[in-house]
Amino acid sequence: MTPNEFSQWGFSVLISALSLCLLLKTNHWYVSLLAALLTVASKYIFRWNHKHIFNPSGFGIVAAIFLTNDAWLSPGQWGSNAVIFFFVATLGTIVVTKVQKLDISLAFLLAFIGLLYWRQVHTLGWPMDYFIHSVSTGSLLLFSFFMISDPRTSPNHPLARIIWAVLIAIVSFYLAAFKWKYNTPIWVLVAAAPLVPLLDKIFKAEVFQWKSSLLHFSFYLKLKNIVMKPLMKKIAAFIILTAMISHEAIAFCGFYVSKADGALKNKTSQVILVRDGNRTVITMYNDFQGDIKDFAMVVPVPVVLKKSDIKVVDQQIFNTLNEYSKPRLVEYYDQNPCNQELYKKLQGNAPGVTSEVVVTGYGVKRKQETVTIEAKYLVGEYDILILSATESSGLKDWLNQNGYKIPANAEEVLEPYIKSNLKFFVVKVNAEEKKKLPGNFLRPIQITFNSPKFMLPIRLGMANADGDQDMIVYAFTKKGRIECTNYRTVSLPTGKNVPLFVKNNFGNFYSNLFQHQWKGEGRSIAMLEYAWDVSPTNYVKCDPCVAVAPSTQDLMQAGVWWINRDWNDYNDTQNNEEYSDKAYFTRLHVRYNRKAFPQDLMFQVTPNAENFQARYIITHPATGDFNCEAGKKYLKELKQRRENEMEMLTYLTGKDYSDWDVVMNNEEERYIPAQASYENLSLTTKVPEKDKGVLFATLGVMGLMIMIGFKQKRKN
């Protein structure tokens, strides 16, 4: 292979491979293989004038998504980390500079970022951190430096390249900002490919050729040895680590207003999302502090809702979904290997075979200018208004004039929603209707609407929220998980073995685990706690199960409209076409604050139907006599297992064994075999803080005495 051919082949493969590996997601190796084959094939099949018509990796990605139901793009998977930003920008600049295509990358970025700034900051009034979050995503930079800059699929003339890049930027921006489409640059790049031959015909220039000098060849080899080898090792390690990890209290999307002193706070909330196509059903359950008669709530909605689009549901549905999907603890029981009869039965099984499984779990702690009135309804115990406004001060004045005191900083948050032409769903309690109902709680509200916007406006809920807020999202779709498009969606570590004492306080353990993992992942994330096919026809919906699975009636209560087919109305073709017995359940736990979450939560439905649940395992030691050879071996393995469990505890929670309460250790002592001392099992009880000084002083004096005695002996 000549130096020219080697350099051309090497960088072409590098750029295509990076684009595929970093942008396309799938759970199946054969889908990845198909995307790679289509990428390579497109280079030789779709050609014109010694150039590729389609961007190879773009074609491979789009074709894999169209041809299979197991591939998708996750624009938020790389987050907005500054390290990734500068790394990709630097490496990308090196690559495109060497192929003399820096102009096209800069033209696209300047046009796209400029349009985003005009839309988000200048027009809608979002703060700068909102805009910065939009432009600092890894996927945008990867596209700019590794896809649109491909010299074999972009125009030859510099002016034509700039025109082409700006055109792609404008169309991509329009589809993303006004049509709520995701990953628009890649789709537009593939769709606009036939324009390149036309631009090459209008703007005459030489076809790009890779440099063939031995000097450049030696440079590529040096770059490969100095940069690419260690880089690829790190990337490989990162991919392996990611694969290992992945296979293994609370605010609301609106804000409260009150007739009293505006002191109502939204600390805890749960939301049910049901999505198919452009139709969305949102069920909102909230806790609040204050008198129910003074309660009111403002939530932005994309359209004017009809009365038939609003209803109240039984709050039990939230209990059902929470109990079923919450993280769980599993108990295993070892068998005594010295019991030969039982041991023979268990010989074919791995250590730690369970004789009984008991599950428990951690759940949600629940506490109980001009404005136009577009619609007014009475639904259940709620008076509901649908408002539209032309400016935030007008809406603020309207609420104040009607006896409501809104949070001090709500006006700033309202303005971008008003400029986005969103309506406002204003809810307050009807005192007379509430008297007809038992109890002092408010039932959840469920709304239905059609819109391409699939989001939860959490920024509005920060107007009267204290500190970090938590939201549990229960989502149902026909085909697979939902995930955030503007924040990373991260799976919690699962299937890990932990010490026995975790059983006594699993809620505390999980709280520490979640907080530690949340901080470690950078805070700007959505944590996946459960994902499973809960279709009525699927009989295995968890492993293990902590509660009864949601029934068809529960799914209907949650808003899964397609599960209910009217078999008596054969003329209802629209309902029958929508009908499906598929229901995929995703549970996301989002802990957010103003700094880490500058934008609302944006979601997409993916074809990812892989099962997942956050589960943690404790294993009880066997009891009885361990004098046989197998028993002695078992005790040795038990010691190592205990050490591993302690290390895992620290990894999961960030807390050392000594940080846990002594009371927990007492529970563990009951399960330790009589022949195994605490020392041998590395299960020493925690020494109280007040006694540590005395202990260390005693050990120090003893050590000093031994040293003095040893020196005196040598002198004698």
Side-chain angles (χ1 to χ4, degrees):
M1 182 181 290
T2 66
N4 180 43
E5 292 173 339
F6 176 83
S7 60
Q8 180 177 353
W9 176 83
F11 268 97
S12 178
V13 169
L14 171 64
I15 293 172
S16 297
L18 283 173
S19 299
L20 286 177
C21 294
L22 299 178
L23 294 174
L24 186 67
K25 293 190 71 175
T26 179
N27 290 327
H28 305 291
W29 64 268
Y30 52 83
V31 176
S32 299
L33 179 60
L34 175 64
L37 289 174
L38 293 172
T39 297
V40 175
S42 69
K43 295 184 178 184
Y44 299 97
I45 297 175
F46 304 108
R47 298 179 65 87
W48 180 84
N49 194 24
H50 307 292
K51 293 176 64 176
H52 316 312
I53 294 179
F54 295 102
N55 177 276
S57 51
F59 179 83
I61 290 171
V62 171
I65 293 174
F66 269 123
L67 296 176
T68 72
N69 292 321
D70 299 306
W72 70 98
L73 291 168
S74 295
Q77 67 176 314
W78 296 104
S80 56
N81 190 288
V83 175
I84 296 178
F85 181 93
F86 289 111
F87 170 76
V88 175
T90 303
L91 181 60
T93 302
I94 293 173
V95 173
V96 298
T97 301
K98 290 301 176 183
V99 299
Q100 301 174 358
K101 299 294 181 179
L102 185 58
D103 52 2
I104 194 170
S105 295
L106 293 180
F108 171 80
L109 281 175
L110 290 174
F112 191 76
I113 291 174
L115 289 169
L116 281 177
Y117 180 86
W118 167 77
R119 173 68 177 170
Q120 296 180 354
V121 180
H122 182 267
T123 303
L124 298 180
W126 290 113
M128 279 299 295
D129 61 344
Y130 187 103
F131 164 72
I132 292 173
H133 184 82
S134 298
V135 301
S136 59
T137 57
S139 56
L140 176 62
L141 295 171
L142 289 168
F143 172 83
S144 302
F145 290 117
F146 292 107
M147 293 188 70
I148 196 173
S149 61
D150 185 355
R152 288 296 185 181
T153 57
S154 56
N156 298 323
H157 196 280
L159 180 59
R161 290 198 294 268
I162 293 174
I163 294 173
W164 191 62
V166 172
L167 176 64
I168 291 176
I170 292 173
V171 177
S172 300
F173 163 77
Y174 172 78
L175 293 175
F178 298 100
K179 298 300 181 181
W180 280 72
K181 303 297 183 183
Y182 302 114
N183 312 299
T184 53
I186 295 177
W187 296 93
V188 175
L189 177 67
V190 175
L195 293 178
V196 175
L198 178 62
L199 290 172
D200 284 341
K201 190 172 183 180
I202 297 174
F203 299 91
K204 302 293 184 180
E206 293 184 4
V207 177
F208 173 82
Q209 295 292 336
W210 296 89
K211 301 293 184 179
S212 59
S213 67
L214 292 176
L215 178 63
H216 282 82
F217 179 62
S218 62
F219 167 78
Y220 295 140
L221 291 179
K222 289 180 180 178
L223 180 66
K224 172 186 173 185
N225 292 327
I226 297 174
V227 178
M228 295 311 299
K229 277 188 177 180
L231 174 62
M232 293 309 294
K233 287 180 180 179
K234 291 180 179 179
I235 291 176
F238 173 78
I239 293 173
I240 293 171
L241 178 60
T242 304
M244 290 173 63
I245 293 176
S246 61
H247 288 283
E248 303 215 327
I250 308 178
F252 183 59
C253 48
F255 68 80
Y256 295 136
V257 295
S258 72
K259 286 188 175 180
D261 58 358
L264 291 173
K265 299 293 182 181
N266 44 338
K267 277 296 194 181
T268 303
S269 73
Q270 301 171 77
V271 178
I272 301 174
L273 287 180
V274 181
R275 177 78 170 183
D276 187 58
N278 284 338
R279 186 176 180 183
T280 304
V281 178
I282 302 179
T283 309
M284 300 166 283
Y285 181 92
N286 309 281
D287 191 14
F288 59 91
Q289 299 170 5
D291 195 331
I292 287 179
K293 66 182 179 62
D294 293 328
F295 163 83
M297 181 177 64
V298 178
V299 181
V301 290
V303 296
V304 176
L305 302 177
K306 301 176 183 177
K307 187 174 183 179
S308 58
D309 297 329
I310 310 167
K311 65 179 181 179
V312 293
V313 299
D314 189 346
Q315 66 174 354
Q316 182 59 36
I317 183 60
F318 282 92
N319 296 332
T320 299
L321 298 182
N322 173 56
E323 289 299 313
Y324 183 71
S325 62
K326 63 188 178 182
R328 57 214 64 199
L329 181 69
V330 190
E331 292 187 74
Y332 289 80
Y333 289 82
D334 286 344
Q335 298 291 344
N336 190 326
C338 291
N339 186 328
Q340 294 299 318
E341 182 178 350
L342 285 175
Y343 185 62
K344 289 178 181 178
K345 293 180 180 179
L346 297 171
Q347 275 182 334
N349 299 320
V353 173
T354 114
S355 61
E356 179 182 358
V357 175
V358 180
V359 294
T360 182
Y362 166 81
V364 178
K365 290 183 178 178
R366 183 178 294 115
K367 302 176 184 178
Q368 287 274 26
E369 144 170 277
T370 302
V371 174
T372 302
I373 300 177
E374 301 283 357
K376 185 176 182 179
Y377 310 121
L378 173 63
V379 180
E381 64 267 36
Y382 299 105
D383 287 322
I384 295 172
L385 296 176
I386 309 296
L387 305 178
S388 62
T390 57
E391 56 181 23
S392 58
S393 60
L395 180 59
K396 177 181 178 181
D397 292 341
W398 187 93
L399 291 169
N400 287 331
Q401 290 168 8
N402 284 269
Y404 297 100
K405 183 178 179 181
I406 72 173
N409 59 339
E411 183 177 340
E412 176 190 1
V413 183
L414 286 172
E415 189 68 23
Y417 293 111
I418 292 174
K419 290 182 176 179
S420 298
N421 200 31
L422 292 179
K423 313 304 177 186
F424 292 91
F425 182 74
V426 181
V427 182
K428 66 178 181 178
V429 178
N430 184 295
E432 294 302 318
E433 293 297 322
K434 183 67 186 76
K435 290 178 181 177
K436 301 176 183 178
L437 300 173
N440 195 36
F441 59 88
L442 297 176
R443 290 181 293 175
I445 304 173
Q446 187 175 94
I447 60 176
T448 303
F449 56 85
N450 284 284
S451 172
K453 300 178 182 180
F454 187 24
M455 61 173 288
L456 285 175
I458 59 172
R459 283 178 56 87
L460 200 57
M462 297 179 195
N464 56 353
D466 293 335
D468 294 332
Q469 305 300 307
D470 288 81
M471 174 179 287
I472 303 295
V473 179
Y474 310 102
F476 294 91
T477 70
K478 283 183 181 178
K479 60 179 183 178
R481 299 181 189 177
I482 70 162
E483 65 178 25
C484 285
T485 60
N486 56 338
Y487 299 101
R488 293 170 55 224
T489 302
V490 179
S491 301
L492 280 167
T494 187
K496 306 302 182 183
N497 292 276
V498 294
L500 288 172
F501 64 75
V502 168
K503 176 184 177 181
N504 283 352
N505 199 343
F506 184 61
N508 186 38
F509 160 79
Y510 185 75
S511 295
N512 282 282
L513 180 150
F514 186 91
Q515 180 73 6
H516 181 63
Q517 299 297 323
W518 176 70
K519 287 182 177 179
E521 292 288 350
R523 291 181 169 86
S524 301
I525 58 171
M527 284 287 197
L528 178 69
E529 293 183 326
Y530 177 85
W532 214 284
D533 181 0
V534 294
S535 305
T537 54
N538 181 29
Y539 296 103
V540 181
K541 301 175 184 177
C542 46
D543 180 24
C545 295
V546 296
V548 178
S551 64
T552 301
Q553 289 72 23
D554 292 327
L555 296 177
M556 292 167 56
Q557 181 85 346
V560 184
W561 71 86
W562 63 78
I563 211 78
N564 180 29
R565 182 172 184 174
D566 187 356
W567 292 98
N568 297 319
D569 187 0
Y570 294 98
N571 295 321
D572 187 2
T573 56
Q574 181 179 358
N575 181 65
N576 289 338
E577 287 176 0
E578 289 184 352
Y579 170 79
S580 172
D581 61 353
K582 295 296 183 182
Y584 197 90
F585 182 9
T586 308
R587 172 178 170 138
L588 297 178
H589 185 167
V590 183
R591 176 166 294 168
Y592 61 95
N593 53 53
R594 178 65 182 80
K595 183 178 179 180
F597 283 79
Q599 294 185 351
D600 291 322
L601 294 174
M602 314 291 183
F603 299 104
Q604 71 174 357
V605 179
T606 75
N608 184 6
E610 188 176 34
N611 295 332
F612 176 88
Q613 59 184 2
R615 64 193 292 268
Y616 306 95
I617 304 166
I618 62 172
T619 307
H620 297 271
T623 58
D625 189 290
F626 295 91
N627 290 324
C628 65
E629 277 306 311
K632 294 176 182 178
K633 181 180 178 183
Y634 167 77
L635 291 178
K636 198 174 191 180
E637 293 173 348
L638 183 60
K639 175 185 175 182
Q640 183 60 50
R641 190 173 80 189
R642 286 291 182 253
E643 292 175 355
N644 294 340
E645 289 172 352
M646 299 304 174
E647 292 175 0
M648 180 56 64
L649 178 71
T650 302
Y651 163 74
L652 292 175
T653 65
K655 291 181 176 293
D656 188 72
Y657 176 67
S658 60
D659 295 330
W660 294 88
D661 196 341
V662 178
V663 176
M664 295 184 185
N665 299 339
N666 297 334
E667 176 70 14
E668 192 154 21
E669 291 175 9
R670 297 194 297 111
Y671 300 112
I672 306 302
Q675 293 89 335
S677 68
Y678 294 133
E679 260 182 45
N680 291 336
L681 291 177
S682 299
L683 288 174
T684 54
T685 52
K686 178 181 174 183
V687 179
E689 292 292 334
K690 63 181 180 181
D691 295 336
K692 282 186 177 179
V694 177
L695 175 62
F696 291 144
T698 303
L699 292 175
V701 171
M702 291 176 63
L704 183 61
M705 292 175 64
I706 292 172
M707 290 178 61
I708 293 173
F710 182 74
K711 288 183 178 180
Q712 187 67 34
K713 183 177 180 181
R714 291 187 63 182
K715 286 182 181 180
N716 295 336

